[in-house]
Amino acid sequence: MDNPHAPHFQRLVWLGAGLVALIGMLLGIDRLALSHLKSDAERTAHEWAVQLPNSVPGLNQILQGVTPTAEARAAIGVIHGTAGVFRFRLFDRHGQLLLTSDSPGSPPPAPQAALAPLPADVFAGHSHVQLKQGNGLTLPLVYSEAYVPVQRDGGLLGVVEVYVDQTDRAELTTASFRQAALLAGCALTASFIVGGAVWRRRLDVERLAHDRLQYLVQHDTLTGTLNLAGFRQRLKQACRQGATPGQGMAVLAVDIDDFKGVNDRHGQAAGDQVLATTAERLRAVLRGADSLARLGGDRFAVLQLGVAGSEDVKALAERILLALAQPCDVGHSDVLVSASIGAAILGVDGGDGETLTQHAEQALLRARAAGRGGYNFYDPALDAALQRRRQLAQDLELALAHGRLQLHYQPLFRSGDDSLQGYEALARWQHPVHGPISPAEFIPLAEENGLIRALGLWVLRTACQEAARWPEGLTVAVNLSAAQFAQGEALVDEVQGALSRAGLPAARLELEITESLLMSHTDQVLHTLQALHRLGLKIGMDDFGTGFSSLAYLWRFPFDKLKIDRAFTQGLDTDAKVGVIVHSIVQLAHSLGMRVNAEGVETEAQRLALLRHGCDELQGFLLGRPQPVGRLAHETQVATEAA
């Protein structure tokens, strides 16, 4: 007889076999999903790390241990969180921890020995990825920990440890695989529809994340324009397409004039608003095919397409200058800005995008040197001038570091009896190849290359040390730059330190500032001037009457002396109105208890006129030229008396 339980048993066997098969399928699906998720994690981490050098300015310096700049920290804050990345740590190529995304501006934790060693294969250029489970509170439920080498030109720059939130992807991937497997046995068509919808959603999420990452990599976050990397890519594409007659291209380098002054006078927030407004106005004058980029700081670049000749470029440059000349609202006031433009045309000024950009920037230097607020085309002669300027900047840094600069001193005389009052310290540079370099050339170089603070401190210390050896009663005047005043209390400490080190009484030191300095951060400058004045030294306003003269400065600031600019002294010979102005300045200063110095005295007629107007102190070539410390007027007088 047939076993009556056989069908039931077979059903159980088939059911069990089906259950085992289903479990096996699900386990296989889980393993497949895990493998896919790990591959996806490796790809995501690798793509993110590849974009890191293009997203973080100065990454090479950071990988060498240099503290990240504010712009680099801002870029880290932007890229942190893209593509699911919720944390990362940056190591140099030896495995030394440099920074973490939680505190990019802080030094790494110590001791380094507490850190687990990095996987060895990552130093050979291979990524190392692990999938991990978190608690869902401090760490995502599913996340990947990936070590990815940061490379450029085949060389290892460092290693980035990337933590990527895989929770959504894990749920989505696992759900999609299991759903597809379960529905396959019921309704193949339905499984295709559901699986397709799930995968479409996943692809949309990935595409949106990828597009967002690509946008951040190629665009400036403040202005929404292309950044340097995006501009270079757009320029390469345009160059590959080539230029045809009537469809050429040009690069225009645009720089906001005196943008640093805008920041100093109105603050960084106002400076950011000026940059954003500048970008909006530039977009408004460009055509649809043109591209706009912010290359960094206040430097913008325009890729102009459809160029038939230089007239097209001139027309665009003039539209830009007109648009940017309009007042800019920064919230509490209107700021007047201007711009300078340099232009280079493909096929005329360069055959590739990189050369074209370099030549446009060189043309920009020429436009700025011509007085700003204008535009210039590239001139091959600029190459030689630019190279000389760069070399001089390097030579100046070496000269300052090795004590190859010198101070000359111009004598200051009391106007009534021509007695010697003291000297003004003037920096001089004797270049070993080019001979004497004018201060009008090397001081702007120092300002442009961040050397002006070091130069000013050297002048201050040297002048105090040398003046301490002069006869008692002789004073020394030292000019201070705006960059030194930006230090605030640190400047007061430097002045006090220079006096103490030299043993020079504070009453024998005079510090001179220009009127333009008073236009920026007035309260801060006032506080610093008052602190300096409390040391017992004298403070003078240099070049009075040529800048932003305001009577408010004369009672708000503790000035002891006004220096009338040499332009007034020279004008005494030719214009009677100048004498009226000089007389008024002298009377005003005296009524406020200030002495008056007139510089640039070159003729006897000028000297006599200044005496009549009541000037207290005179200096100029008629009375004495600047001399090194061994040939000063009091030294010569002592030698003559001894003879």
Side-chain angles (χ1 to χ4, degrees):
M1 290 180 61
D2 295 334
N3 188 347
H5 299 288
H8 181 65
F9 179 77
Q10 290 176 352
R11 292 189 189 98
L12 291 176
V13 171
W14 281 109
L15 181 61
L19 183 61
V20 170
L22 180 59
I23 293 174
M25 179 184 297
L26 292 176
L27 291 176
I29 290 295
D30 283 343
R31 286 194 296 270
L32 183 60
L34 184 63
S35 175
H36 180 83
L37 190 60
K38 185 174 181 181
S39 176
D40 180 78
E42 182 174 1
R43 177 179 57 79
T44 299
H46 185 268
E47 287 183 355
W48 188 90
V50 166
Q51 298 298 339
L52 189 63
N54 297 325
S55 303
V56 180
L59 183 65
N60 287 352
Q61 289 75 19
I62 296 175
L63 289 171
Q64 295 174 7
V66 176
T67 301
T69 63
E71 187 176 2
R73 293 195 298 272
I76 290 172
V78 170
I79 197 171
H80 179 214
T82 59
V85 174
F86 64 93
R87 183 187 302 164
F88 68 88
R89 299 194 299 176
L90 189 64
F91 301 82
D92 65 18
R93 59 191 182 91
H94 302 295
Q96 180 78 12
L97 178 62
L98 299 175
L99 62 82
T100 68
S101 58
D102 297 328
S103 54
S106 303
Q112 297 298 307
L115 298 173
L118 303 184
D121 55 349
V122 77
F123 295 102
H126 303 294
S127 300
H128 185 90
V129 181
Q130 287 183 320
L131 286 176
K132 295 187 176 182
Q133 292 183 342
N135 54 18
L137 298 175
T138 58
L139 290 172
L141 291 175
V142 181
Y143 67 97
S144 62
E145 180 180 357
Y147 295 88
V148 184
V150 180
Q151 298 175 312
R152 176 172 289 171
D153 299 329
L156 180 67
L157 299 179
V159 177
V160 61
E161 182 184 13
V162 186
Y163 293 80
V164 184
D165 187 351
Q166 301 286 348
T167 303
D168 291 340
R169 290 175 178 164
E171 293 177 357
L172 186 61
T173 301
T174 303
S176 62
F177 275 92
R178 289 179 176 176
Q179 196 171 29
L182 292 173
L183 294 179
C186 301
L188 185 59
T189 303
S191 69
F192 281 141
I193 295 174
V194 174
V198 171
W199 279 104
R200 177 62 181 269
R201 179 190 170 193
R202 178 176 180 273
L203 291 175
D204 287 344
V205 171
E206 288 186 350
R207 185 177 67 253
L208 289 174
H210 180 267
D211 291 346
R212 177 61 178 167
L213 181 59
Q214 288 298 109
Y215 179 86
L216 293 174
V217 167
Q218 296 188 358
H219 288 77
D220 176 59
T221 55
L222 176 63
T223 62
T225 66
L226 293 171
N227 58 18
L228 178 59
F231 183 73
R232 285 175 173 171
Q233 181 175 346
R234 190 71 55 85
L235 194 56
K236 287 180 180 179
Q237 293 173 351
C239 289
R240 281 197 298 266
Q241 294 173 358
T244 58
Q247 294 297 318
M249 56 180 283
V251 171
L252 290 82
V254 183
D255 189 80
I256 301 175
D257 297 331
D258 193 29
F259 180 71
K260 182 179 183 300
V262 173
N263 271 333
D264 290 341
R265 290 189 292 271
H266 302 282
Q268 184 177 351
D272 289 346
Q273 181 59 51
V274 169
L275 292 174
T277 302
T278 298
E280 292 175 3
R281 293 175 177 177
L282 287 172
R283 288 191 191 95
V285 299
L286 299 184
R287 294 171 299 184
D290 300 335
S291 299
L292 172 64
R294 180 187 173 211
L295 305 185
D298 62 331
R299 294 169 54 234
F300 290 85
V302 173
L303 172 59
Q304 184 185 13
L305 301 179
V307 175
S310 61
E311 292 300 321
D312 290 341
V313 183
K314 289 180 181 178
L316 177 57
E318 290 170 355
R319 293 201 305 271
I320 290 174
L321 293 178
L322 182 61
L324 298 187
Q326 304 303 314
C328 179
D329 183 8
V330 295
H332 57 279
S333 63
D334 286 341
V335 176
L336 290 175
V337 297
S338 62
S340 299
I341 302 174
I345 302 175
L346 183 67
V348 177
D349 303 316
D352 59 82
E354 183 177 354
T355 302
L356 211 59
T357 303
Q358 291 176 356
H359 288 175
E361 291 181 346
Q362 292 176 20
L364 171 62
L365 293 178
R366 183 183 177 192
R368 294 179 62 181
R372 302 184 177 184
Y375 64 89
N376 266 292
F377 284 90
Y378 170 72
D379 183 348
L382 287 173
D383 280 336
L386 182 61
Q387 290 298 329
R388 180 181 184 275
R389 190 170 181 82
R390 288 175 176 170
Q391 186 61 51
L392 278 181
Q394 296 176 6
D395 294 345
L396 177 59
E397 185 173 6
L398 291 175
L400 187 58
H402 294 89
R404 297 171 187 165
L405 297 178
Q406 189 179 26
L407 284 186
H408 285 197
Y409 298 89
Q410 186 169 32
L412 312 176
F413 294 93
R414 181 184 290 117
S415 61
D417 56 8
D418 293 336
S419 61
L420 181 65
Q421 298 296 296
Y423 300 90
E424 179 180 1
L426 303 170
R428 293 293 184 263
W429 181 20
Q430 183 72 22
H431 194 279
V433 176
H434 303 293
I437 306 296
S438 169
E441 182 175 7
F442 73 77
I443 289 180
L445 268 181
E447 292 175 342
E448 293 170 10
N449 292 273
L451 302 174
I452 191 64
R453 289 185 181 178
L455 176 60
L457 180 58
W458 174 82
V459 171
L460 175 66
R461 290 177 174 175
T462 305
C464 289
Q465 290 172 355
E466 294 181 344
R469 296 191 289 268
W470 299 345
E472 292 185 7
L474 292 183
T475 62
V476 61
V478 176
N479 292 280
L480 295 181
S481 68
Q484 290 174 277
F485 260 86
Q487 302 174 93
E489 293 296 332
L491 173 61
V492 181
D493 294 338
E494 288 181 354
V495 173
Q496 190 170 22
L499 290 170
S500 300
R501 187 180 295 106
L504 180 71
R508 294 178 59 191
L509 175 63
E510 293 185 353
L511 299 179
E512 297 181 357
I513 67 171
T514 60
E515 290 181 275
S516 59
L517 174 63
L518 304 178
M519 297 296 294
S520 61
H521 302 299
T522 302
D523 292 336
Q524 176 188 337
V525 173
L526 173 60
H527 177 75
T528 304
L529 284 175
Q530 290 172 337
L532 290 171
H533 205 258
R534 285 194 293 269
L535 296 179
L537 49 82
K538 302 296 188 296
I539 297 175
M541 180 189 286
D542 198 5
D543 301 332
F544 182 78
T546 61
F548 306 93
S549 300
S550 172
L551 298 181
Y553 301 144
L554 299 184
W555 65 266
R556 289 194 66 193
F557 290 86
F559 292 113
D560 300 285
K561 180 171 70 175
L562 293 185
K563 293 188 69 174
I564 300 175
D565 187 75
R566 66 179 61 249
F568 291 101
T569 303
Q570 303 301 317
L572 287 171
D573 293 335
T574 59
D575 193 337
K577 294 191 294 295
V578 175
V580 176
I581 296 174
V582 170
H583 187 78
S584 300
I585 293 175
V586 172
Q587 295 302 311
L588 174 63
H590 285 172
S591 67
L592 295 175
M594 304 178 192
R595 295 180 295 114
V596 180
N597 169 290
E599 55 184 350
V601 182
E602 298 181 359
T603 68
E604 182 64 17
Q606 293 169 357
R607 188 183 74 86
L608 294 175
L610 292 168
L611 284 175
R612 288 195 301 271
H613 293 308
C615 284
D616 305 290
E617 192 176 89
L618 305 177
Q619 68 181 101
F621 289 170
L622 175 68
L623 305 171
R625 292 177 177 270
Q627 298 289 347
V629 68
R631 297 168 56 186
L632 298 183
H634 69 272
E635 299 283 355
T636 304
Q637 183 178 1
V638 170
T640 301
E641 292 175 353

